[in-house]
């Protein structure tokens, strides 16, 4: 542990340190957890329920608030790009979202708790069978706007046109209607989608790995130190595994990077 992190860990175990942490990480008296809403599921997306919200970030945020001794409040967004855009606006305190170099300049990340392979699903009846036949002029590929997957797809495809949309639901409808040729997302989510839209096919190749991590707004050193400690413990003590199991991911291996 670095000297800075050790000092922060010591500070947050004292009453004065705990107060300083709460002032920084929960300035409204609640831990405001930014989440993105979609039926896609997985380790990043959350869903709206009759009683509130459900998802891996929902469970982790609740446990984090309990550890801090404050109530939890969920701040819903349509996608991860919207969460990033709000990072400097003071509307949320902690989040769990895909990480890439562009985002590292706009917020502070902690441990990676999910590593996923990104690929494409093609519309029913498509003749596309691999990346080479997908990357052709006139092919329309959709991605959730301003996300790490969208940036990866744009970098990967040289001829097909990648268009961003605000919500997963909108893209799902376009794919089902055959109005787009393909959708870029994580393989696990696309495999689930393929079961819902007969005739679609998930391509075998992978164009990038998407990593999902805990994050706090910029210039929040106490918050980041707490988040790092919390996530490393959640990975080690099985809390993360339990969050996966509680949210339909019992068959999904936990792939983490705790550096």
């Amino acid at each position: 542990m670095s000297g800075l992190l050790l000092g922060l860990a010591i500070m947050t175990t004292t009453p004065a340190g705990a107060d300083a942490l709460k002032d920084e990480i929960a300035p409204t008296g609640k831990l405001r957890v930014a989440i993105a809403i979609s039926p896609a599921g997985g380790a990043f997306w959350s869903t709206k329920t009759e009683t509130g919200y459900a998802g891996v970030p929902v469970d982790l945020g609740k446990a984090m608030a309990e550890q801090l001794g404050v109530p939890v409040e969920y701040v819903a967004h349509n996608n991860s790009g919207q969460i990033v855009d709000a990072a400097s606006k003071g509307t949320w305190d902690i989040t769990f979202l895909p990480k890439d170099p562009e985002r590292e300049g706009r917020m502070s990340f902690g441990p990676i708790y999910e590593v996923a392979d990104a690929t494409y699903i093609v519309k029913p009846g498509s003749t596309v069978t691999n990346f080479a036949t997908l990357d052709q002029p006139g092919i329309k590929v959709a991605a959730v706007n301003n996300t790490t997957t969208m940036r990866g797809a744009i970098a990967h495809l040289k001829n097909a046109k990648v268009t961003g949309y605000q919500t997963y639901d909108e893209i799902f409808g376009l794919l089902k209607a055959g109005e787009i040729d393909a959708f870029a997302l994580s393989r696990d989510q696309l495999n689930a989608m393929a079961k819902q839209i007969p005739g679609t096919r998930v391509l075998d190749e992978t164009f990038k790995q998407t990593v999902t991590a805990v994050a706090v707004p910029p210039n929040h050193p106490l918050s980041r130190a707490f988040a790092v400690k919390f996530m490393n413990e959640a990975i080690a003590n099985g809390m993360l595994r339990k969050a996966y199991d509680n949210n339909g991911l019992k068959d999904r291996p936990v792939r983490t990077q705790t550096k």
Side-chain angles (χ1 to χ4, degrees):
M1 182 181 289
S2 71
L4 173 61
L5 282 180
L6 179 60
L8 291 172
I10 293 170
M11 183 188 302
T12 55
T13 60
T14 65
D19 288 343
L21 172 61
K22 285 185 183 180
D23 287 345
E24 183 183 284
I25 200 170
T28 64
K30 298 179 180 179
L31 183 68
R32 298 169 299 171
V33 182
I35 56 175
I37 304 301
S38 160
F44 161 63
W45 294 100
S46 297
T47 57
K48 196 166 189 332
T49 69
E50 292 181 1
T51 56
Y53 299 101
V56 173
V58 172
D59 288 2
L60 294 175
K62 180 183 179 184
M64 191 176 283
E66 288 174 353
Q67 201 170 111
L68 288 165
V70 299
V72 67
E73 178 182 310
Y74 299 105
V75 184
H77 299 76
N78 287 325
N79 57 56
S80 61
Q82 290 183 356
I83 295 174
V84 176
D85 288 342
S88 61
K89 297 177 182 178
T91 57
W92 57 262
D93 306 308
I94 197 89
T95 193
F96 306 85
L97 81 173
K99 168 185 174 181
D100 68 8
E102 192 272 343
R103 291 179 174 177
E104 287 184 276
R106 302 177 67 184
M107 53 180 48
S108 298
F109 284 91
I112 291 165
Y113 71 90
E114 164 78 350
V115 181
D117 297 330
T119 187
Y120 308 93
I121 188 171
V122 296
K123 69 181 181 181
S126 175
T127 58
V128 170
T129 56
N130 54 29
F131 287 175
T133 52
L134 175 71
D135 193 15
Q136 299 296 326
I139 294 286
K140 301 175 184 176
V141 178
V144 180
N145 198 47
N146 195 22
T147 59
T148 62
T149 304
M150 179 174 173
R151 283 189 284 276
I154 290 171
H156 174 240
L157 298 173
K158 309 305 179 187
N159 301 298
K161 179 178 175 55
V162 179
T163 302
Y165 297 86
Q166 285 299 313
T167 69
Y168 168 99
D169 286 349
E170 183 180 7
I171 301 173
F172 182 98
L174 292 170
L175 185 74
K176 188 174 183 179
E179 294 179 28
I180 56 172
D181 296 294
F183 180 13
L185 201 64
S186 78
R187 182 177 304 282
D188 292 317
Q189 291 163 327
L190 294 180
N191 283 339
M193 183 186 293
K195 295 176 183 177
Q196 297 176 284
I197 309 178
T200 54
R201 182 171 60 254
V202 179
L203 301 186
D204 292 334
E205 299 151 290
T206 295
F207 69 85
K208 81 183 294 284
Q209 283 195 322
T210 300
V211 295
T212 304
V214 64
V216 299
N219 304 313
H220 282 58
L222 297 178
S223 302
R224 184 186 180 279
F226 173 80
V228 168
K229 183 173 181 292
F230 175 89
M231 287 305 300
N232 282 334
E233 289 176 352
I235 291 166
N237 66 21
M239 183 190 296
L240 179 61
R241 176 72 264 171
K242 185 177 179 182
Y244 272 49
D245 293 350
N246 286 347
N247 291 283
L249 303 175
K250 288 186 177 181
D251 297 328
R252 177 87 62 88
V254 175
R255 301 166 69 188
T256 65
Q257 295 176 10
T258 55
K259 291 181 182 179

